Amino acid sequence: MAHRFSSMEGVGWKTHVLVGSAAAILLYGAYEQYRFRRWSKTLDGPSVAVPFIGSIVEMVKNPYEFWEKQRLFNPDGLSWNSIVGQFMVMSTNTKITRKIFSHNGEDSFRLFLHPNGWKILGEHNIAFKHGPEHRALRKSFLSLFTKPALSVYLSLQQKLIREHIAQWIANKEFAEYRIKLRDLNLITSQTVFVGPYLTTDEARAEFCHNYLLLTEGFLSFPLALPGTGLWNAVKARHKIVAVLQQAAHDAKARMAGGANPECLLDFWAQRINEELAEAARTKTEAGVHCSDWEMGNTLMDFLFASQDASTASLTWCAYFMCERPDILAKVREEQQRVRPNDEPLTYEMIEKELHYTRAVVKEILRFRPPAVMVPAIAMVDFPLTPTYTVPKGTLVVPSIWSACMQGFPEPEKFDPDRMMPDRQEDVTYSKNFLTFGVGPHMCVGREYAINHLVAFLSLFATQCDAARQISATSHEIKYLPTIYPGDCILYLNASQQPATN
């Protein structure tokens, strides 16, 4: 009988634990809903947030559909939702979005980028820096995007683009060009940024493999357990930074030896060597960014920032040239006029002569901004409007897409002529043209990115004729995590355009 009493006592204890745990979960769920209701009472959004997980399942299942639905809660203002129990506010108002971008620090916002962003990129990544350390780092980039540097990059870019287009023509088959353009962009970014410091084909292949694992982590569920996409992405980042750290060390030594710059890292190493020499002369401490490890982290950010965004824009270039043969014809006419014998592209040519080709690129960047949003975390209670203060800890999502679709005349129309010198809508409506951001974290590689796209469009238009295979999803938009057309299945032939003399 004593044994039976003991067993009943054990069952009763377990029951109390289960009941208590269930009650605690219910109470926390109710408290979460109360907080969300209090914080969102003046905002549009879902009628109810799923306790604890919020809308994470919907976001992972179909990211583009989720974010588009969120945008439409309030197309020109603020809306709310929750992601894994975290309160989220989205801005679709250009003025509010610019305010968010323009404030960065412990007294306002810190970039978040993505639920997996800090884990994958690491807290030392330039995207998450702010204050004097961040300003000193950006100042060290001044020599990276000058005319001489951009001219060196352009020669590398067009060489690789020509080689890849020739390979694609030789394939003689329909293929998904998002993948091919991704591979082109990977090798271009590596060559332009790191140049001779990835010394073998095996090293490049391993680097590409790890980089793809890193980017795939942004499409993974935010749970870093062994074998998961997020886990693999974090491990890949450590390997990438180790390679880039060694490259930074080698570049400093090579530039100190008097070699000519061959890539972005060389131009940066020259600048860093100057800063180190000045610190030694004045007996002061050099900036944190001068260490090999910090340079490796920053190079990874350059690669990350250029890779997905540029691949998306390259894909949209190919997409719109197939969709709009009238625009393609005008690009070709300009190319024939400016470089009738397939002359190499030059910095001056892109800046001063290829006006229409450059206008097409700018309109693609406005009409389909690759990064449609740049999430941040509110570090304090922060007034977004005179009537709404976002609570500390909120995930704040400023919409670049919305800004680019406001202000401009007929913003839903794809119209490259708006970017021509006689209209200059990119200047007139510059406050809305936020593809490259604004404020402390505005993209430093804007001209590099535009030149890359102009070079690709120039050569794609003149080196090949493309046939496109249309499917049921071709005209949809896919989020990967930058945006792409539903597919871009092409067959390339050598161009049949007559050369002019």
Side-chain angles (χ1 to χ4, degrees), residues 11 18 42 72 93 119 123 178 183 206 318 325 337 358 362 367 434 446 473 487 489 501:
V11 171
L18 289 172
T42 62
L72 293 176
N93 175 273
K119 291 187 178 72
E123 292 191 13
R178 177 178 63 83
D183 293 342
E206 177 68 14
R337 176 166 38 82
R358 191 176 176 88
K362 286 185 177 181
F367 193 69
L434 295 184
R446 179 180 183 274
T473 61
D487 60 49
I489 302 172
N501 294 302

Side-chain angles (χ1 to χ4, degrees), residues 362-363 366-367 402-413 418-419 424-434:
K362 286 185 177 181
E363 178 65 347
R366 180 201 71 85
F367 193 69
S402 297
C404 288
M405 291 296 172
Q406 295 170 3
F408 292 90
E410 297 184 277
E412 299 291 340
K413 179 183 178 182
R418 73 170 80 242
M419 303 298 186
Q424 293 189 338
E425 290 186 16
D426 56 320
V427 177
T428 304
Y429 304 101
S430 59
K431 289 187 176 181
N432 298 89
F433 193 18
L434 295 184

Side-chain angles (χ1 to χ4, degrees), residues 166-178:
Q167 293 170 11
W168 300 338
I169 291 171
N171 287 343
K172 296 190 181 302
E173 62 180 2
F174 277 101
E176 172 55 76
Y177 267 72
R178 177 178 63 83

Side-chain angles (χ1 to χ4, degrees), residues 36-56:
F36 290 172
R37 284 296 168 197
R38 180 163 57 89
W39 293 338
S40 67
K41 61 184 178 182
T42 62
L43 305 180
D44 297 303
S47 56
V48 65
V50 178
F52 308 111
I53 64 171
S55 298
I56 186 65

Side-chain angles (χ1 to χ4, degrees), residues 67-88:
W67 289 111
E68 181 64 5
K69 178 181 176 182
Q70 186 66 41
R71 182 182 73 84
L72 293 176
F73 278 130
N74 190 339
D76 188 16
L78 298 173
S79 63
W80 79 280
N81 211 316
S82 74
I83 304 291
V84 196
Q86 183 169 31
F87 188 64
M88 180 190 82

Side-chain angles (χ1 to χ4, degrees), residues 68 244 315 334 375:
E68 181 64 5
L244 296 176
T315 306
E334 180 176 72

Side-chain angles (χ1 to χ4, degrees), residues 156-157 159-160 163-164 182-213 236 239-240 243-244 247 254 262-266 303 307 448:
L156 299 171
Q157 289 165 318
K159 177 178 180 292
L160 291 166
E163 290 174 356
H164 278 73
R182 178 202 68 187
D183 293 342
L184 164 64
N185 208 32
L186 267 173
I187 190 66
T188 303
S189 296
Q190 289 176 31
T191 303
V192 171
F193 295 165
V194 192
Y197 304 105
L198 288 175
T199 55
T200 66
D201 290 341
E202 291 77 10
R204 289 182 180 277
E206 177 68 14
F207 192 90
C208 286
H209 172 71
N210 285 319
Y211 190 84
L212 292 175
L213 287 177
K239 294 177 181 178
I240 290 169
V243 171
L244 296 176
R254 184 168 173 271
E262 296 180 16
C263 63
L264 179 145
L265 178 54
D266 284 343
L303 287 164
Q307 182 57 40
Y448 167 82

